Amino acid sequence: MSSINYSEKIPNNVNLSEDRTLQRALEHWQPNYLQWWQDMGPDGSQDFDVYLRTAVSVDPQGWAQFGHVKMPDYRWGIFLNPAEQDRKIHFGDHKGEDAWQDVPGEHRANLRRIIVTQGDTEPASVEQQRHLGLTCPSQYDLRNLFQVNVEEGRHLWAMVYLLHRYFGRDGREEAEALLERRSGNADNPRILQAFNEKTPDWLAFFMFTYFTDRDGKFQLCALAESSFDPLARTTKFMLTEEAHHMFVGESGISRVIQRTVDAMNQLKTDDVGKLRAAGVIDLPTIQRYINFHFSVTIDLFGADQSSNAATFYSSGLKGRYEEGKRVDDHVLKSQHYKILEVAEGQLREKEVPMLNALNEVLRDDYITDSKGGVERWNRVIEKAGIPFKLTVPHKAFHRSIGTLSGVKVSPDGRVVSDHEWNQKVENWLPTDEDRAYVASLMGRVVEPGKFANWIAPPVIGINRQPIDFEYVRFN
């Protein structure tokens, strides 16, 4: 390991070759990371040559270089967006001061916690998705899964760089712990519950990359505002990759819907039994998957009132989504925001100090953004002449965190009795039967240009390659 050429093996723009302390830390961490990838990365894929995009610099020519590579040999790089000269803090109590190039002592614990929580989601999703390659609907989709996986790995490297570079021994210990926790492990689980759920099938994977990776986008956007400049610059570059993950989800669901509406028109039926007999995923099942993944994801934003969120904002650690575009004082001491509560069996709005409601502000921005893709899915259905509309459920539906935790609310936002919930929950959330049916469709298709019966081909291939390109060489 000591003879590593750092710019070759670990592409970076952080002067890694000149930083002996950081080199020593990463020399110790890297073999453990590769062992984790071997143990918990994509199952049975170590010898495949995969057509992957590798970032080798942050400029447009360097961040998207394509070529076939074995995933254990992938060049996981460390990149920060270029520094903004004389950058100032633009929100919170330190507004107007110079951005921090080092970690202020009083904010050390909170910043470490933020970085560790973000960092923990990256390997967790790789673990959740590790068996999906065994049931891929096409080579094109298999390659997209692997691209998402290696980029989650690179995002882990990005967070580990910050821990090693700025947090001393504590940071090194946290970096080791990121490789020790396991998604869904009863004794040592991942930090956030959504990252301990199974991703058992490709419909769940597409929902995860559309909804849950979108939570990643919003968290990264909030951190990209941070007064701690290295964190802001790191997360800004991560966002360029996160966009592809959401594309995989949105286009994946769109193709599932396309195949379903084609079958509905071919068979001239919306009968669920007949459509399942034809081997496609009926629209009501897609709606139930949306309800589940959307509700689990919006819980990731945390409690609707949070003193931690107020502290993170006022301290300048974490801003709002698109903080710079907002027209207010960016201190928020006198602002208010409406959150929901249940009173006398009804959902009611209540005004609370905005600083305490910043999780809810971010959640509401996320909900607005999520609806865009669902509308684009509806256009596929509309174009096929099918009278069916997909929706995201009400934000109080199926919640496990905050004021609305455990309250029984229907997808259209009515507070319902336990009796009504138990009667109707099978229409609202995926049933065991739904999941078993979707699982039954998951046969592996790997011949170039061929696709499983339940999903339509994409319109174009990756990096302008043909759809029947050999995206994965199985050797």
Side-chain angles (χ1 to χ4, degrees), residues 304 306 309-310 320 326 328 332-337 351-359 361:
D304 35 18
S306 162
R320 288 170 293 175
R326 294 177 186 260
D328 54 33
L332 310 183
K333 291 262 160 63
S334 54
Q335 261 88 341
H336 288 80
Y337 196 76
E351 281 217 338
V352 298
M354 190 187 248
L355 274 176
N356 282 356
L358 287 172
N359 287 345
V361 173

Side-chain angles (χ1 to χ4, degrees), residues 127 215 235 372 408:
E127 292 166 356
D215 161 74
T235 47
K408 301 288 192 288

Side-chain angles (χ1 to χ4, degrees), residues 261 375 377-389:
V261 296
E375 281 315 305
W377 297 337
N378 279 326
R379 288 205 278 279
V380 176
I381 300 171
E382 210 177 301
K383 204 170 161 191
I386 307 279
F388 189 97
K389 219 171 171 44

Side-chain angles (χ1 to χ4, degrees), residues 235-340:
T235 47
K236 274 182 187 147
F237 185 68
M238 288 164 74
L239 281 161
T240 54
E241 293 164 322
E242 204 69 42
H244 175 258
H245 305 186
M246 292 181 291
F247 159 79
V248 168
E250 183 175 333
S251 62
I253 300 291
S254 193
R255 290 162 51 217
V256 174
I257 292 167
Q258 185 65 62
R259 179 68 191 98
T260 299
V261 296
D262 288 349
M264 289 171 80
N265 284 332
Q266 231 172 339
L267 301 169
K268 299 188 170 42
T269 187
D270 62 0
D271 180 272
V272 170
K274 288 178 180 165
L275 291 166
R276 288 188 174 190
V280 295
I281 303 173
D282 52 282
L283 297 177
T285 295
I286 293 171
Q287 178 64 66
R288 288 192 286 277
Y289 267 69
I290 289 172
N291 291 349
F292 175 77
H293 284 270
F294 177 83
S295 59
V296 166
T297 300
I298 61 174
D299 268 348
L300 284 171
F301 290 91
D304 35 18
Q305 291 193 76
S306 162
S307 57
N308 278 339
T311 301
F312 292 170
Y313 186 86
S314 294
S315 307
L317 310 185
K318 183 177 176 182
R320 288 170 293 175
Y321 176 64
E322 297 190 327
E323 183 71 45
K325 294 183 181 174
R326 294 177 186 260
V327 287
D328 54 33
D329 66 4
H330 303 279
V331 181
L332 310 183
K333 291 262 160 63
S334 54
Q335 261 88 341
H336 288 80
Y337 196 76
K338 289 184 173 131
I339 65 166
L340 288 177

